[in-house]
Structures are given as structure tokens and as C-alpha cells.
């Protein structure tokens, strides 16, 4: 065991069966306590070197106390913010008070501002000038400050993730240039604001990829195709081209779709499921196929079921199986479920409560239309009221 002088660290040769090594810093001294068992002391042992630095360079940087006090005063959830982006708390150039003043001037409440900072502390690093310029660019798309505040409340990262305002401006120009309208951009900013934080090259790659898909499938209107698919799935621009390609290939090969059928699917009801990972899509479809096959459905019926409502693939295996089992237990025929797949959008508790209410008013689910199980609450209540009236009339007669 040696202790070389003049080094920023000490090196100790340690037996393999060393019980423990502990660093003990008392009153500024550096003292090592090494404890061996009697057995180890009297046996030959092999040695393995390690080193431990004893200088202060490894100590964690101190947090900005002034920043912490300001955040507590503003009602920020400091614990949440620290977990999300701890590095911000070591900076001395934060602009939390300027950020609050700016957002208050745009109509945000103090509670909303505190929530934004709690979930995305990096917002405090943006300068007032950068905030103002970015806000003006967003206002080219949305009609009011309140709309932007609502987006920030829901997704603060979308606005504060990047300070590259030139990239944002170029993205806006590019999306207009590929045929998207002002309404399309407003919908994108409302539903998938991260699109505008993407690098311009990423957005270009996805649009060019979608145009190539369109042409490869024999469609001569790539601009119209891109607009339709983005309208149906505003999140597609923040996905990878690799994922979209894998999902399109899976859909075409699994369901033996013609080019025309595939175009119709991905521009319409199947646009949203392109967001799924290909593994997730495969597992979900395999589960649907196995479950429905076990209930006597043919391959043709299963194909029709999935293609008529592809959103079914979003359901996890357990949730899908539980809903099917719930309906079967309530004597709903599987053929009815195949014809009305949207009823699986409803939660199990909703399905059970509605089935119970309908049975109580004499509604025969085995022979009647079951689509009302997925109706809006307002529409369903109106139908239920009508059924109650009809039942009372029959009882009176």
C-alpha cells in the first residue's frame, strides 16, 4: 500500500476479499479505514488496484439560492423542476422574473406560469427579446395570445425547447410552400407544436418521404396527399421516416392491400396508427387476430374488423381482451362487435353501466343495434329516455 506525495489522489492496492473501504474526512484530514477479517490476513490474496480522487473538483456545483427563493415565491414546484432539468438550478443567468412578467402581459395566470416552469424549467433561460420574437412568429399562425397560453399550459416544451427563431420562421415558410394552409398550420401548432421545434431538415425529410410514398403507390398528387395525411395525423412530422416506412410495409403485406387501398387507408382511418412502433403494431394485431379467432371469427371477418376501424390497434392486449370478454359475458354476439368496432372505444365501466340500463328498459342487445354503447353521453341519454317512455306506454297498455 503506497501513498505517493504531491498527487491529487491516492492509490491503494486492495485485496479481492476486502470487506469494505471507507473514506472518512474529519476536520479536513484524509483518513482511510481498512478492515480485514482474521481469515483474510493469514491467507495469500490477489490484489486489484483502484483509485479515488480526494480533491474538491468532484463536488456538485451549488444551486442558485436566489433562483430557489424566487421560484418558491412564484409557487413553482421546485422538486418537480429539479427532477426534470437539474442543471438549470446551477445557472446564474436565469430570467424567471422576466419570464413571469412577459407571460403575465400575455394573459397567463400566475398559476399557469408556475406550472410551466415546474414542468419545463429551461423556459427561465430564454431572454425577453427571444421570447418576444418567438411569440410574434407564433402569432402569425394563431389568432390570439390566449391560444398560445393554452398551448404552453398543455405543452411548454413546444415553445421553450428551442431558441432558434430563424429555424421556426423557416419551418413556417416551408410548410406553407408544400401546400399547407393557414388553417392546417394552426391545427399543427395546436395539436403537435413540436413540429415547429424540429429542424427544418427533419421536416423536409418527412415531407419528401411522404411525397415519394405517394408517387410509388401510383398517386399523381403528392401535395394533396401530404396535406391529407398531416390533417388526419398532425403528429406524423415528429415521427421518424423509418417508423412510418415500417408501418406502411406491415399494413400492405399483412392485409394484402392494393396500392389504391393502401393510399385510402393511410390518408384516412389508418393515418393515426402510423405513429405506433412497428413492434407494438405487430403485437397488437397478433393479439386481436388470436382473440377473435378463438371466438370463431374468420380471417376475412378479422381483416374487415381491423381495416374498418384501425384505431383498435391502439388498444393494449389486456384492454382489448377484457372489453371483448365483457361484451360476450353480457350476451353481445361477436358478429355484432365485428360490425360495430367503435363500441370498444368505451371503457369497461361505461359498457357495463349502459348494458345494465338498456336491459332494465327491455332493450335486447342480442338482436338490436349495439352502436349506442359508444354514443356520446348526450345522445345516449336522449335514446335512453325515449326507451323509458316506450316501456311505460307498453306497461300501461
Amino acid at each position: 500500500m503506497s501513498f505517493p506525495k504531491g498527487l491529487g489522489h491516492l492509490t491503494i492496492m486492495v485485496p479481492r476479499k476486502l470487506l469494505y473501504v471507507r473514506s472518512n474526512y474529519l476536520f479536513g484530514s484524509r483518513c482511510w479505514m481498512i478492515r480485514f477479517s482474521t481469515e483474510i490476513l493469514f491467507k495469500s490474496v490477489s490484489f486489484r488496484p483502484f483509485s479515488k480522487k480526494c480533491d474538491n473538483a468532484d463536488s456538485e456545483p451549488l444551486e442558485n439560492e436566489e433562483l430557489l427563493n424566487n421560484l418558491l415565491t412564484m409557487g413553482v414546484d421546485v422538486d418537480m423542476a429539479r427532477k426534470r432539468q437539474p442543471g438549470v438550478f446551477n445557472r446564474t443567468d436565469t430570467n424567471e422574473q422576466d419570464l413571469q412578467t412577459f407571460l403575465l402581459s400575455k394573459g397567463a395566470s400566475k398559476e399557469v406560469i408556475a406550472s410551466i416552469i415546474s414542468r419545463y424549467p429551461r423556459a427561465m433561460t430564454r431572454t425577453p427579446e427571444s421570447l418576444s420574437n418567438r411569440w410574434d412568429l407564433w402569432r402569425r399562425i394563431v389568432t390570439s395570445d390566449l391560444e398560445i397560453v393554452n398551448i404552453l399550459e398543455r405543452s411548454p416544451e413546444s415553445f421553450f425547447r428551442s431558441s432558434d427563431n430563424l429555424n421556426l420562421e423557416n419551418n413556417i415558410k416551408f410548410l406553407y410552400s408544400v401546400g399547407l394552409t393557414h388553417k392546417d398550420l394552426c391545427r399543427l401548432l395546436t395539436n403537435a407544436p413540436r413540429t415547429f421545434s424540429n429542424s427544418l431538415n427533419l421536416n423536409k425529410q418527412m415531407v419528401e418521404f411522404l411525397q415519394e410514398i405517394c408517387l410509388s403507390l401510383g398517386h399523381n398528387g403528392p401535395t394533396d396527399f401530404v396535406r391529407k395525411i398531416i390533417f388526419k395525423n398532425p403528429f406524423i412530422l415528429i415521427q421518424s421516416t423509418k417508423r412510418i416506412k415500417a408501418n406502411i410495409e406491415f399494413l400492405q403485406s399483412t392485409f394484402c392491400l392494393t396500392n389504391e387501398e393502401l393510399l385510402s387507408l393511410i390518408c384516412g382511418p389508418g393515418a393515426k396508427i402510423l405513429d405506433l412502433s412497428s413492434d407494438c403494431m405487430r403485437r397488437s394485431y397478433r393479439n386481436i387476430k388470436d382473440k377473435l379467432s378463438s371466438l370463431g371469427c374468420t380471417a376475412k371477418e378479422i381483416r374487415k374488423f381491423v381495416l374498418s376501424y384501425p384505431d383498435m390497434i391502439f388498444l393494449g392486449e389486456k384492454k382489448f381482451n377484457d372489453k371483448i370478454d365483457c361484451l360476450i359475458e353480457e350476451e353481445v354476439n361477436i358478429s355484432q362487435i365485428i360490425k360495430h368496432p367503435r363500441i370498444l372505444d368505451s371503457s369497461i365501466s361505461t359498457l357495463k353501466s349502459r348494458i345494465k340500463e338498456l336491459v332494465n328498459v327491455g332493450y335486447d342487445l342480442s338482436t338490436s343495434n349495439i352502436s349506442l354503447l359508444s354514443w356520446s353521453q348526450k345522445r345516449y341519454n336522449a335514446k335512453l329516455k325515449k326507451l323509458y317512455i316506450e316501456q311505460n306506454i307498453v306497461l300501461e297498455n
Side-chain angles (χ1 to χ4, degrees):
M1 184 181 303
S2 61
F3 298 82
K5 295 180 179 180
L7 297 179
H9 64 277
L10 55 83
T11 302
I12 305 174
M13 302 299 291
V14 183
R16 185 187 302 274
K17 294 183 179 180
L18 177 66
L19 293 186
Y20 70 90
V21 179
R22 183 176 63 179
S23 174
N24 186 21
Y25 297 92
L26 296 173
F27 308 107
S29 65
R30 298 173 182 178
C31 166
W32 285 83
M33 298 179 65
I34 306 177
R35 188 174 298 174
F36 301 89
S37 70
T38 305
E39 180 186 3
I40 293 175
L41 286 173
F42 291 96
K43 288 180 66 176
S44 61
V45 293
S46 61
F47 292 88
R48 180 175 297 173
F50 78 91
S51 66
K52 177 174 176 66
K53 293 187 177 180
C54 296
D55 53 28
N56 294 326
D58 289 342
S59 60
E60 294 185 3
L62 296 176
E63 290 187 335
N64 184 337
E65 290 188 10
E66 182 181 356
L67 169 61
L68 287 173
N69 291 333
N70 287 340
L71 295 182
L72 290 171
T73 302
M74 293 165 64
V76 171
D77 186 334
V78 174
D79 289 337
M80 177 191 293
R82 188 185 282 115
K83 288 179 182 177
R84 298 200 172 199
Q85 293 166 351
V88 174
F89 289 83
N90 302 323
R91 299 182 58 159
T92 58
D93 57 346
T94 55
N95 304 300
E96 64 279 2
Q97 292 178 325
D98 289 334
L99 174 63
Q100 184 183 49
T101 300
F102 178 82
L103 292 177
L104 284 172
S105 72
K106 300 302 182 181
S109 67
K110 290 183 178 181
E111 291 75 19
V112 167
I113 297 170
S115 174
I116 288 172
I117 297 175
S118 299
R119 290 177 291 133
Y120 201 76
R122 201 174 298 161
M124 299 182 294
T125 65
R126 306 300 178 226
T127 65
E129 181 182 6
S130 176
L131 288 175
S132 181
N133 291 338
R134 198 166 190 79
W135 198 275
D136 290 342
L137 289 170
W138 275 41
R139 277 300 305 269
R140 292 185 187 181
I141 302 173
V142 298
T143 57
S144 71
D145 289 339
L146 185 59
E147 286 183 73
I148 299 180
V149 170
N150 289 336
I151 294 173
L152 298 193
E153 184 178 6
R154 187 177 69 252
S155 175
E157 180 187 4
S158 60
F159 186 88
F160 297 107
R161 183 179 180 217
S162 171
S163 59
D164 190 347
N165 291 332
L166 179 59
N167 181 70
L168 170 60
E169 186 171 12
N170 288 336
N171 268 326
I172 293 172
K173 291 177 181 178
F174 169 69
L175 293 171
Y176 274 131
S177 73
V178 296
L180 298 188
T181 65
H182 182 272
K183 185 178 180 180
D184 294 330
L185 262 66
C186 187
R187 188 167 184 270
L188 266 179
L189 192 57
T190 302
N191 293 282
R194 278 190 58 188
T195 300
F196 297 88
S197 296
N198 277 353
S199 70
L200 177 62
N201 285 336
L202 275 179
N203 284 336
K204 281 185 175 181
Q205 286 174 17
M206 179 57 79
V207 168
E208 289 168 1
F209 169 74
L210 292 175
Q211 290 172 337
E212 290 171 5
I213 290 292
C214 172
L215 294 173
S216 70
L217 294 176
H219 193 282
N220 294 323
T223 298
D224 184 54
F225 172 80
V226 169
R227 186 177 173 223
K228 282 182 178 179
I229 198 169
I230 291 176
F231 181 80
K232 287 289 185 180
N233 181 3
F235 300 97
I236 197 165
L237 290 175
I238 59 178
Q239 306 301 331
S240 69
T241 54
K242 182 180 178 180
R243 171 176 291 191
I244 303 302
K245 181 180 180 182
N247 286 337
I248 289 175
E249 289 174 348
F250 170 77
L251 290 171
Q252 187 165 32
S253 61
T254 301
F255 297 103
C256 302
L257 300 172
T258 65
N259 288 350
E260 186 177 351
E261 288 173 331
L262 182 60
L263 273 170
S264 178
L265 178 66
I266 62 179
C267 276
K272 292 180 181 178
I273 63 172
L274 296 178
D275 289 346
L276 289 169
S277 70
S278 56
D279 287 342
C280 180
M281 185 180 288
R282 291 173 190 275
R283 285 197 310 271
S284 182
Y285 173 68
R286 185 166 54 246
N287 176 71
I288 291 172
K289 184 178 178 181
D290 291 346
K291 183 65 176 177
L292 296 184
S293 294
S294 70
L295 294 170
C297 294
T298 64
K300 184 177 181 180
E301 288 174 325
I302 295 170
R303 182 180 186 274
K304 179 182 177 182
F305 172 77
V306 176
L307 292 180
S308 65
Y309 195 55
D311 280 8
M312 206 50 55
I313 294 178
F314 279 117
L315 287 176
E317 291 97 321
K318 185 178 186 306
K319 187 173 288 187
F320 177 83
N321 293 343
D322 287 349
K323 288 184 178 183
I324 293 292
D325 290 341
C326 169
L327 291 167
I328 297 298
E329 287 170 5
E330 298 294 342
E331 299 184 356
V332 176
N333 193 292
I334 188 62
S335 62
Q336 292 175 287
I337 300 174
I338 295 296
K339 292 178 183 177
H340 303 283
R342 287 179 183 270
I343 63 172
L344 297 179
D345 278 345
S346 300
S347 67
I348 290 179
S349 60
T350 298
L351 290 172
K352 287 184 175 180
S353 63
R354 288 190 175 185
I355 288 172
K356 183 178 180 180
E357 290 170 341
L358 291 169
V359 170
N360 287 340
V361 295
Y363 195 82
D364 188 353
L365 288 165
S366 63
T367 58
S368 304
N369 182 7
I370 63 169
S371 64
L372 73 172
L373 293 174
S374 62
W375 286 359
S376 68
Q377 193 62 45
K378 182 178 180 180
R379 185 182 179 190
Y380 170 76
N381 287 341
K383 177 65 175 180
L384 190 62
K385 183 178 179 180
K386 183 178 179 181
L387 290 172
Y388 271 121
I389 295 172
E390 292 175 353
Q391 184 189 43
N392 289 334
I393 291 174
V394 170
L395 292 174
E396 289 175 1
N397 293 334

